[in-house]
Amino acid sequence: MQHTSYLGLLFCALTSTCNASAKACLIASTNNRIIFQEGDCAQRYTPASTFKIPISLMGFDAHILIDETHPTWDFTSGYVDWLEQWKQPHNPKLWLANSCVWYSQVITKKLGEKQFSRYTKRFQYGNQDVSGDKGRHNGLSESWLSSSLAISAQEQIDFLNKLVTNTLPISVDAQEKTKNIMYQETLPNGWKLYGKTGNGSQQDTNGNKISDRQVGWFVGFARKGEKVVTFAQLIVDDTKQATYASVRAKAALKDRINPILSDLYKNT
């Protein structure tokens, strides 16, 4: 059953995503059953930094990553340094917390093109295209950054549903370790929130980046005891915005998740 009336009104009341400046999708699922869906959740966009979730799975499964704090790699001149906080040593837990691009790129380069592509296909992740920018042969370092790789909110949910049940075609250990480093916070109602933001640029029909049109994600799951709800919140800006779409997506999800959980479990 899909709930749209009360929660849809709440979405517009609590967030700015129902105005003319952005489109949005929210989809939530439990036990492989969609419990809430609103907006266009079928259109594919760059996964941006939400792709750190599958990169983490690849890294742990291939034993490149060991645990939450190992390995620690130093920042090196020439690494992506868009944010000041990236210019320090990082381990897996800090990598996800800081959304550090260069740490992702070290992992994918260690995997190599064939293994990286093979994992993406095994995960059935979006369009599975890790070729990168046309003619630049940069898929290992750029494919998920407003480039060739694209995924819809519905496909994010399909992927997350496999992750929370440890049914992706890799080791259970890799899936459990990835979920552990996705932890964000415990909500006031006792639900634990796990997730990853992602922020990128929209692309035109030729695959060129539209630098002033953002795509923002917050995807993950909420857990309380044996109860688990997966979610994907997407914001697609229609105009230039002064704030990151990913920050707005996370705020929108946090505003909406409690009513969804309360409605789902009101009789339990």
PDB file of all heavy atoms in Angstrom, residues 46-67:
ATOM      1  N   THR A  46      22.914  10.846 -12.129  1.00  0.00           N
ATOM      2  CA  THR A  46      24.191  10.446 -11.542  1.00  0.00           C
ATOM      3  C   THR A  46      24.003  10.025 -10.087  1.00  0.00           C
ATOM      4  O   THR A  46      23.306  10.692  -9.323  1.00  0.00           O
ATOM      5  CB  THR A  46      25.215  11.593 -11.608  1.00  0.00           C
ATOM      6  OG1 THR A  46      26.420  11.171 -10.927  1.00  0.00           O
ATOM      7  CG2 THR A  46      24.703  12.864 -10.949  1.00  0.00           C
ATOM      8  N   PRO A  47      24.635   8.929  -9.666  1.00  0.00           N
ATOM      9  CA  PRO A  47      24.558   8.562  -8.251  1.00  0.00           C
ATOM     10  C   PRO A  47      25.418   9.451  -7.371  1.00  0.00           C
ATOM     11  O   PRO A  47      25.223   9.508  -6.153  1.00  0.00           O
ATOM     12  CB  PRO A  47      25.060   7.121  -8.234  1.00  0.00           C
ATOM     13  CG  PRO A  47      25.996   7.047  -9.402  1.00  0.00           C
ATOM     14  CD  PRO A  47      25.379   7.945 -10.462  1.00  0.00           C
ATOM     15  N   ALA A  48      26.407  10.128  -7.987  1.00  0.00           N
ATOM     16  CA  ALA A  48      27.348  10.966  -7.230  1.00  0.00           C
ATOM     17  C   ALA A  48      27.896  10.159  -6.046  1.00  0.00           C
ATOM     18  O   ALA A  48      28.208   8.984  -6.202  1.00  0.00           O
ATOM     19  CB  ALA A  48      26.674  12.269  -6.811  1.00  0.00           C
ATOM     20  N   SER A  49      27.979  10.757  -4.878  1.00  0.00           N
ATOM     21  CA  SER A  49      28.644  10.082  -3.757  1.00  0.00           C
ATOM     22  C   SER A  49      27.822   8.981  -3.098  1.00  0.00           C
ATOM     23  O   SER A  49      28.335   8.282  -2.220  1.00  0.00           O
ATOM     24  CB  SER A  49      29.070  11.110  -2.703  1.00  0.00           C
ATOM     25  OG  SER A  49      30.221  11.804  -3.135  1.00  0.00           O
ATOM     26  N   THR A  50      26.555   8.768  -3.516  1.00  0.00           N
ATOM     27  CA  THR A  50      25.864   7.579  -3.024  1.00  0.00           C
ATOM     28  C   THR A  50      26.538   6.316  -3.551  1.00  0.00           C
ATOM     29  O   THR A  50      26.358   5.231  -2.994  1.00  0.00           O
ATOM     30  CB  THR A  50      24.373   7.564  -3.425  1.00  0.00           C
ATOM     31  OG1 THR A  50      24.243   7.442  -4.846  1.00  0.00           O
ATOM     32  CG2 THR A  50      23.670   8.832  -2.947  1.00  0.00           C
ATOM     33  N   PHE A  51      27.342   6.466  -4.620  1.00  0.00           N
ATOM     34  CA  PHE A  51      28.058   5.313  -5.167  1.00  0.00           C
ATOM     35  C   PHE A  51      29.189   4.866  -4.239  1.00  0.00           C
ATOM     36  O   PHE A  51      29.780   3.803  -4.447  1.00  0.00           O
ATOM     37  CB  PHE A  51      28.608   5.636  -6.559  1.00  0.00           C
ATOM     38  CG  PHE A  51      29.079   4.433  -7.325  1.00  0.00           C
ATOM     39  CD1 PHE A  51      28.206   3.421  -7.668  1.00  0.00           C
ATOM     40  CD2 PHE A  51      30.403   4.314  -7.715  1.00  0.00           C
ATOM     41  CE1 PHE A  51      28.627   2.297  -8.377  1.00  0.00           C
ATOM     42  CE2 PHE A  51      30.844   3.211  -8.424  1.00  0.00           C
ATOM     43  CZ  PHE A  51      29.955   2.200  -8.753  1.00  0.00           C
ATOM     44  N   LYS A  52      29.476   5.644  -3.216  1.00  0.00           N
ATOM     45  CA  LYS A  52      30.438   5.174  -2.220  1.00  0.00           C
ATOM     46  C   LYS A  52      29.940   3.924  -1.501  1.00  0.00           C
ATOM     47  O   LYS A  52      30.746   3.142  -0.978  1.00  0.00           O
ATOM     48  CB  LYS A  52      30.741   6.285  -1.205  1.00  0.00           C
ATOM     49  CG  LYS A  52      31.617   7.406  -1.753  1.00  0.00           C
ATOM     50  CD  LYS A  52      31.932   8.435  -0.673  1.00  0.00           C
ATOM     51  CE  LYS A  52      32.937   9.472  -1.168  1.00  0.00           C
ATOM     52  NZ  LYS A  52      32.399  10.347  -2.221  1.00  0.00           N
ATOM     53  N   ILE A  53      28.627   3.722  -1.470  1.00  0.00           N
ATOM     54  CA  ILE A  53      28.103   2.491  -0.860  1.00  0.00           C
ATOM     55  C   ILE A  53      28.564   1.271  -1.653  1.00  0.00           C
ATOM     56  O   ILE A  53      29.176   0.360  -1.078  1.00  0.00           O
ATOM     57  CB  ILE A  53      26.565   2.550  -0.722  1.00  0.00           C
ATOM     58  CG1 ILE A  53      26.145   3.714   0.175  1.00  0.00           C
ATOM     59  CG2 ILE A  53      26.035   1.228  -0.158  1.00  0.00           C
ATOM     60  CD1 ILE A  53      24.641   3.959   0.222  1.00  0.00           C
ATOM     61  N   PRO A  54      28.310   1.187  -2.975  1.00  0.00           N
ATOM     62  CA  PRO A  54      28.851   0.041  -3.708  1.00  0.00           C
ATOM     63  C   PRO A  54      30.374  -0.009  -3.751  1.00  0.00           C
ATOM     64  O   PRO A  54      30.964  -1.099  -3.735  1.00  0.00           O
ATOM     65  CB  PRO A  54      28.256   0.182  -5.113  1.00  0.00           C
ATOM     66  CG  PRO A  54      27.662   1.524  -5.184  1.00  0.00           C
ATOM     67  CD  PRO A  54      27.353   1.952  -3.796  1.00  0.00           C
ATOM     68  N   ILE A  55      31.050   1.152  -3.775  1.00  0.00           N
ATOM     69  CA  ILE A  55      32.515   1.120  -3.742  1.00  0.00           C
ATOM     70  C   ILE A  55      32.998   0.498  -2.430  1.00  0.00           C
ATOM     71  O   ILE A  55      33.952  -0.293  -2.414  1.00  0.00           O
ATOM     72  CB  ILE A  55      33.107   2.530  -3.926  1.00  0.00           C
ATOM     73  CG1 ILE A  55      32.868   3.025  -5.354  1.00  0.00           C
ATOM     74  CG2 ILE A  55      34.617   2.534  -3.635  1.00  0.00           C
ATOM     75  CD1 ILE A  55      33.322   4.452  -5.603  1.00  0.00           C
ATOM     76  N   SER A  56      32.330   0.825  -1.326  1.00  0.00           N
ATOM     77  CA  SER A  56      32.680   0.218  -0.042  1.00  0.00           C
ATOM     78  C   SER A  56      32.488  -1.294  -0.084  1.00  0.00           C
ATOM     79  O   SER A  56      33.353  -2.060   0.373  1.00  0.00           O
ATOM     80  CB  SER A  56      31.816   0.818   1.069  1.00  0.00           C
ATOM     81  OG  SER A  56      32.012   0.132   2.290  1.00  0.00           O
ATOM     82  N   LEU A  57      31.375  -1.738  -0.646  1.00  0.00           N
ATOM     83  CA  LEU A  57      31.123  -3.171  -0.767  1.00  0.00           C
ATOM     84  C   LEU A  57      32.208  -3.854  -1.583  1.00  0.00           C
ATOM     85  O   LEU A  57      32.695  -4.929  -1.223  1.00  0.00           O
ATOM     86  CB  LEU A  57      29.758  -3.393  -1.415  1.00  0.00           C
ATOM     87  CG  LEU A  57      28.544  -2.989  -0.576  1.00  0.00           C
ATOM     88  CD1 LEU A  57      27.304  -2.853  -1.451  1.00  0.00           C
ATOM     89  CD2 LEU A  57      28.301  -3.994   0.535  1.00  0.00           C
ATOM     90  N   MET A  58      32.589  -3.239  -2.689  1.00  0.00           N
ATOM     91  CA  MET A  58      33.663  -3.783  -3.522  1.00  0.00           C
ATOM     92  C   MET A  58      34.966  -3.857  -2.729  1.00  0.00           C
ATOM     93  O   MET A  58      35.680  -4.867  -2.767  1.00  0.00           O
ATOM     94  CB  MET A  58      33.876  -2.899  -4.752  1.00  0.00           C
ATOM     95  CG  MET A  58      32.707  -2.785  -5.697  1.00  0.00           C
ATOM     96  SD  MET A  58      33.083  -1.603  -7.049  1.00  0.00           S
ATOM     97  CE  MET A  58      31.448  -1.258  -7.683  1.00  0.00           C
ATOM     98  N   GLY A  59      35.281  -2.767  -2.032  1.00  0.00           N
ATOM     99  CA  GLY A  59      36.537  -2.689  -1.300  1.00  0.00           C
ATOM    100  C   GLY A  59      36.648  -3.730  -0.205  1.00  0.00           C
ATOM    101  O   GLY A  59      37.692  -4.383  -0.047  1.00  0.00           O
ATOM    102  N   PHE A  60      35.567  -3.899   0.558  1.00  0.00           N
ATOM    103  CA  PHE A  60      35.597  -4.903   1.628  1.00  0.00           C
ATOM    104  C   PHE A  60      35.602  -6.322   1.056  1.00  0.00           C
ATOM    105  O   PHE A  60      36.307  -7.200   1.570  1.00  0.00           O
ATOM    106  CB  PHE A  60      34.405  -4.719   2.566  1.00  0.00           C
ATOM    107  CG  PHE A  60      34.581  -3.623   3.579  1.00  0.00           C
ATOM    108  CD1 PHE A  60      33.721  -2.533   3.605  1.00  0.00           C
ATOM    109  CD2 PHE A  60      35.611  -3.678   4.517  1.00  0.00           C
ATOM    110  CE1 PHE A  60      33.878  -1.523   4.548  1.00  0.00           C
ATOM    111  CE2 PHE A  60      35.783  -2.665   5.451  1.00  0.00           C
ATOM    112  CZ  PHE A  60      34.918  -1.583   5.477  1.00  0.00           C
ATOM    113  N   ASP A  61      34.836  -6.558   0.005  1.00  0.00           N
ATOM    114  CA  ASP A  61      34.778  -7.901  -0.573  1.00  0.00           C
ATOM    115  C   ASP A  61      36.116  -8.302  -1.186  1.00  0.00           C
ATOM    116  O   ASP A  61      36.517  -9.473  -1.101  1.00  0.00           O
ATOM    117  CB  ASP A  61      33.682  -7.966  -1.639  1.00  0.00           C
ATOM    118  CG  ASP A  61      33.401  -9.379  -2.100  1.00  0.00           C
ATOM    119  OD1 ASP A  61      32.964 -10.196  -1.262  1.00  0.00           O
ATOM    120  OD2 ASP A  61      33.620  -9.677  -3.293  1.00  0.00           O
ATOM    121  N   ALA A  62      36.835  -7.329  -1.766  1.00  0.00           N
ATOM    122  CA  ALA A  62      38.135  -7.602  -2.395  1.00  0.00           C
ATOM    123  C   ALA A  62      39.285  -7.511  -1.398  1.00  0.00           C
ATOM    124  O   ALA A  62      40.453  -7.642  -1.785  1.00  0.00           O
ATOM    125  CB  ALA A  62      38.368  -6.630  -3.548  1.00  0.00           C
ATOM    126  N   HIS A  63      38.977  -7.254  -0.126  1.00  0.00           N
ATOM    127  CA  HIS A  63      39.968  -7.158   0.960  1.00  0.00           C
ATOM    128  C   HIS A  63      40.939  -5.996   0.764  1.00  0.00           C
ATOM    129  O   HIS A  63      42.056  -6.019   1.291  1.00  0.00           O
ATOM    130  CB  HIS A  63      40.730  -8.483   1.117  1.00  0.00           C
ATOM    131  CG  HIS A  63      39.823  -9.665   1.319  1.00  0.00           C
ATOM    132  ND1 HIS A  63      39.061  -9.817   2.462  1.00  0.00           N
ATOM    133  CD2 HIS A  63      39.537 -10.719   0.513  1.00  0.00           C
ATOM    134  CE1 HIS A  63      38.353 -10.946   2.353  1.00  0.00           C
ATOM    135  NE2 HIS A  63      38.615 -11.503   1.182  1.00  0.00           N
ATOM    136  N   ILE A  64      40.507  -4.981   0.030  1.00  0.00           N
ATOM    137  CA  ILE A  64      41.251  -3.726  -0.023  1.00  0.00           C
ATOM    138  C   ILE A  64      40.980  -2.932   1.253  1.00  0.00           C
ATOM    139  O   ILE A  64      41.872  -2.305   1.809  1.00  0.00           O
ATOM    140  CB  ILE A  64      40.843  -2.922  -1.280  1.00  0.00           C
ATOM    141  CG1 ILE A  64      41.259  -3.669  -2.550  1.00  0.00           C
ATOM    142  CG2 ILE A  64      41.447  -1.520  -1.246  1.00  0.00           C
ATOM    143  CD1 ILE A  64      40.649  -3.096  -3.809  1.00  0.00           C
ATOM    144  N   LEU A  65      39.731  -2.967   1.696  1.00  0.00           N
ATOM    145  CA  LEU A  65      39.337  -2.382   2.981  1.00  0.00           C
ATOM    146  C   LEU A  65      39.273  -3.497   4.011  1.00  0.00           C
ATOM    147  O   LEU A  65      38.846  -4.620   3.706  1.00  0.00           O
ATOM    148  CB  LEU A  65      37.976  -1.689   2.868  1.00  0.00           C
ATOM    149  CG  LEU A  65      37.848  -0.595   1.794  1.00  0.00           C
ATOM    150  CD1 LEU A  65      36.452   0.004   1.817  1.00  0.00           C
ATOM    151  CD2 LEU A  65      38.898   0.481   1.977  1.00  0.00           C
ATOM    152  N   ILE A  66      39.661  -3.180   5.247  1.00  0.00           N
ATOM    153  CA  ILE A  66      39.768  -4.210   6.288  1.00  0.00           C
ATOM    154  C   ILE A  66      38.651  -4.079   7.321  1.00  0.00           C
ATOM    155  O   ILE A  66      37.929  -5.028   7.602  1.00  0.00           O
ATOM    156  CB  ILE A  66      41.139  -4.130   6.991  1.00  0.00           C
ATOM    157  CG1 ILE A  66      42.278  -4.137   5.945  1.00  0.00           C
ATOM    158  CG2 ILE A  66      41.292  -5.289   7.981  1.00  0.00           C
ATOM    159  CD1 ILE A  66      42.281  -5.317   5.016  1.00  0.00           C
ATOM    160  N   ASP A  67      38.536  -2.907   7.912  1.00  0.00           N
ATOM    161  CA  ASP A  67      37.491  -2.646   8.903  1.00  0.00           C
ATOM    162  C   ASP A  67      37.238  -1.143   8.942  1.00  0.00           C
ATOM    163  O   ASP A  67      37.711  -0.418   8.063  1.00  0.00           O
ATOM    164  CB  ASP A  67      37.869  -3.200  10.287  1.00  0.00           C
ATOM    165  CG  ASP A  67      39.210  -2.676  10.791  1.00  0.00           C
ATOM    166  OD1 ASP A  67      39.570  -1.516  10.480  1.00  0.00           O
ATOM    167  OD2 ASP A  67      39.914  -3.419  11.498  1.00  0.00           O
TER     168      ASP A  67
END
